[in-house]
Amino acid sequence: MSGLVDSFFGCLPEVALEQYTRRGVSRATIRIDNDRLWPFLERFSVLTQITPEEVDAYVFELEERLSLASVQSYKQTLKTFFNWCVNQGFLQKSPAVHLKPKRRRSARYKAANERDLQVVINGLLGTLNRRKDRRRCVRDLLAFKLALDSGNRLQELARLSTRDMTLALQNPQMATGGVVVYTVPSAPGKKGVVSMRFTEQTAAIYRLWEEIRPGSSRHRIFIALRGKYPGKPLTLNGFTSIFVKRCKQYDVPIYRTHSIRHLKGTKTTDAFNPRVTASLLNISVETAILHYYSEAEQSVLDATAM
């Protein structure tokens, strides 16, 4: 059984091309899947001994001690492994064929509510002239505005440097309607270098932040202002806490940067098309269609293709 599992993990990237929507498999995923498989497979000396009843019994054990989301992940790992065994000729039929992991809801339904975000932004704008906590208010307002303008990911926003912003401010561009837009050409992203765009209002808030922020850690825009390490770059958790605390303060649902990203993707697709969304959010057109086209629009496409 050990050699069989080793063979499976040796070709897991190829399996993932079919099973995981062509996203590939990282080393961490291989390690996690291995940890999920072995507690079950080590009970058997022969692969053909495994029956659907044995699989159901294992899933029942998981449900007794794990969350629903974790159980779904285990189910998917089992299905992928046994499907591979069938494809390789080790089994005639998968004992996990009856498992039906629940798919996550479309990201479209996770989008933030723009009116709620505007409540937070207006609240922060109203505090800019106060002396108390002014630095923190300007920093947090900049975080919300950059997230809403650009739709970039958490790590891309949190790791933005002053050099990136300086380069962007040197090259203003004019959008339709006379709105000035700036582009950060080379922000460090999840999959290499990505772009980031923001409006003149956000640029004005950034200029104010540059005037009043502490002089330390000039290479990062978002820095800690309190705690043990004032002036140090914010961690990803620290950056996320900006959104959590401000949403609580203004009594709106808690939205994190990814919810705001989905809002930007939905609005852009509705106003333009998936190709524009893909360019703005630094994703593929296929991903933009999958996540940001409404069901009605997708149904029209499917009906046309019949």
Side-chain angles (χ1 to χ4, degrees), residues 68-69 71-73 75-76 99-105:
L68 178 61
V71 173
Q72 304 309 317
S73 298
K75 286 182 179 180
Q76 186 60 60
L99 294 183
K100 296 181 179 180
K102 294 182 179 179
R103 295 186 176 182
R104 295 180 179 179
R105 297 173 64 187

Side-chain angles (χ1 to χ4, degrees), residues 139-153:
R139 181 201 65 184
D140 295 358
L141 178 59
L142 179 61
F144 270 90
K145 285 293 295 177
L146 271 175
L148 191 56
D149 280 358
S150 68
N152 279 76
R153 298 179 178 90

Side-chain angles (χ1 to χ4, degrees), residues 264-270 272-284 288 292:
K264 190 69 175 181
T266 300
K267 286 184 59 182
T268 304
T269 303
D270 290 344
F272 299 97
N273 58 66
R275 191 173 298 278
V276 176
T277 303
S279 178
L280 180 66
L281 299 185
N282 303 285
I283 57 178
S284 67
Y292 302 119

Side-chain angles (χ1 to χ4, degrees), residues 15-87:
V15 176
L17 291 178
E18 301 177 17
Q19 302 292 337
Y20 301 151
T21 323
R22 300 183 180 179
R23 287 186 294 181
V25 174
S26 67
R27 292 181 179 179
T29 300
I30 292 175
R31 175 177 53 79
I32 291 170
D33 282 355
N34 186 42
D35 292 341
R36 290 172 181 161
L37 279 172
W38 265 118
F40 177 65
L41 296 180
E42 66 182 359
R43 304 178 184 186
F44 308 93
S45 58
V46 180
L47 188 66
T48 53
Q49 290 179 341
I50 303 175
T51 64
E53 291 74 23
E54 296 283 0
V55 173
D56 286 340
Y58 180 58
V59 171
F60 180 77
E61 293 175 17
L62 296 175
E63 291 173 343
E64 291 290 307
R65 59 185 177 85
L66 298 177
S67 68
L68 178 61
S70 296
V71 173
Q72 304 309 317
S73 298
Y74 274 79
K75 286 182 179 180
Q76 186 60 60
T77 299
L78 289 170
K79 284 182 70 70
T80 301
F81 173 73
F82 286 117
N83 286 344
W84 175 82
C85 289
V86 172
N87 291 335

Side-chain angles (χ1 to χ4, degrees), residues 120 123-125 127-128 130-144 205 208-209 212-214 221-227 234 238-239 241-247 249-250:
V120 178
L124 290 172
L125 282 170
T127 64
L128 292 186
R130 298 178 186 174
R131 296 184 62 182
K132 184 179 179 180
D133 284 340
R134 190 181 184 216
R135 282 178 172 174
R136 200 153 61 100
C137 290
V138 174
R139 181 201 65 184
D140 295 358
L141 178 59
L142 179 61
F144 270 90
I205 298 169
L208 176 60
W209 174 233
I212 65 175
R213 59 172 281 169
I221 291 176
F222 294 105
I223 57 175
L225 299 174
R226 292 180 177 178
L234 281 177
F239 189 78
S241 69
I242 291 176
F243 295 84
V244 174
K245 291 178 180 178
R246 291 303 183 181
C247 287
Q249 177 184 350
Y250 291 100

Side-chain angles (χ1 to χ4, degrees), residues 4 14 80 114 128 135-136 140 157 162 185 265 296 304:
L4 184 63
E14 285 72 31
T80 301
E114 189 171 11
L128 292 186
R135 282 178 172 174
R136 200 153 61 100
D140 295 358
L157 294 164
T162 54
T304 304

Side-chain angles (χ1 to χ4, degrees), residues 67-68 75 91 100 129 143 160 189 211 231 234 258 265 285:
S67 68
L68 178 61
K75 286 182 179 180
L91 290 172
K100 296 181 179 180
N129 294 325
L160 196 60
E211 293 176 7
L234 281 177
H258 220 70
V285 176

Side-chain angles (χ1 to χ4, degrees), residues 101 109 140 201 221 274 293 299:
Y109 300 101
D140 295 358
Q201 185 183 35
I221 291 176
Y293 249 15
S299 298

